[in-house]
């Protein structure tokens, strides 16, 4: 005859009832701005420089005669673009985004190319584009 072992039990083990568990993510004193965030979004800096190059690079050919049209147009395009980028991509408040957009519009609306000047360097530094190669190599 077959004999059962000492620890064998004909009943299956009792499984305790499962209780629902609510998982929550807790942030530890998260700073308001993540590290590495710049005053201007990098796309805003690129837009300022691109509009400036597009509108005022070829000004040499017209002898600055078209500046009366290109300056206000560059100001409007840049202001609208920087405002949208700062609101949607950077999450700035309306007031902060408008302030940055107006400064960007003024920088791009100056009737000369700002590339290679202190103003162009300031745009590069404020948007983090001056360290773009170093960040890209780290990835």
């Amino acid at each position: 005859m077959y004999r059962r072992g000492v620890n064998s039990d004909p009943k299956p083990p009792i499984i305790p009832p499962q209780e629902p568990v609510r998982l929550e993510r807790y942030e530890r004193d998260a700073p308001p701005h993540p590290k590495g965030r710049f005053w201007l979004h990098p796309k805003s800096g690129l837009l300022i420089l691109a509009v400036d190059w597009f509108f005022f690079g070829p000004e040499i050919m017209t002898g600055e005669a078209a500046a009366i049209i290109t300056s206000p147009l560059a100001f409007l395009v840049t202001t609208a673009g920087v405002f949208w980028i700062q609101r949607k991509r950077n999450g700035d408040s309306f007031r902060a985004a408008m302030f940055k957009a107006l400064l960007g519009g003024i920088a791009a609306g100056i009737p000369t190319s700002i590339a290679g000047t202190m103003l162009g360097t300031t745009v590069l530094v404020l948007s983090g584009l001056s360290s773009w190669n170093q960040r890209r190599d780290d990835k």
Side-chain angles (χ1 to χ4, degrees), residues 6-135:
V6 178
N7 290 332
S8 65
D9 192 8
K11 295 180 187 177
I14 299 174
I15 299 173
Q18 293 184 359
E19 293 183 26
V21 177
R22 187 171 149 193
L23 299 175
E24 293 183 23
R25 177 178 288 174
Y26 294 98
E27 305 281 333
R28 278 194 224 159
D29 299 325
H33 298 292
K35 282 186 176 181
R37 189 168 174 191
F38 294 96
W39 192 73
L40 271 176
H41 192 277
K43 290 183 180 181
S44 292
L46 279 174
L47 178 69
I48 293 168
L49 294 174
V51 167
D52 181 63
W53 291 329
F54 179 75
F55 280 99
F56 300 113
E59 275 293 310
I60 297 170
M61 291 184 273
T62 64
E64 299 285 329
I68 198 163
I69 296 168
T70 57
S71 281
L73 195 55
F75 173 80
L76 290 174
V77 168
T78 305
T79 301
V82 170
F83 178 78
W84 185 83
I85 292 169
Q86 291 300 126
R87 287 284 288 167
K88 299 296 180 188
R89 302 282 183 170
N90 222 31
D92 289 350
S93 67
F94 181 86
R95 190 175 186 167
M98 184 55 77
F99 178 70
K100 293 174 186 181
L102 288 174
L103 288 180
I106 290 169
I110 295 173
T112 184
S113 181
I114 63 170
T117 65
M118 282 300 289
L119 187 56
T121 304
T122 304
V123 169
L124 288 172
V125 170
L126 289 177
S127 61
L129 294 174
S130 60
S131 60
W132 188 51
N133 278 344
Q134 289 90 16
R135 286 186 298 169

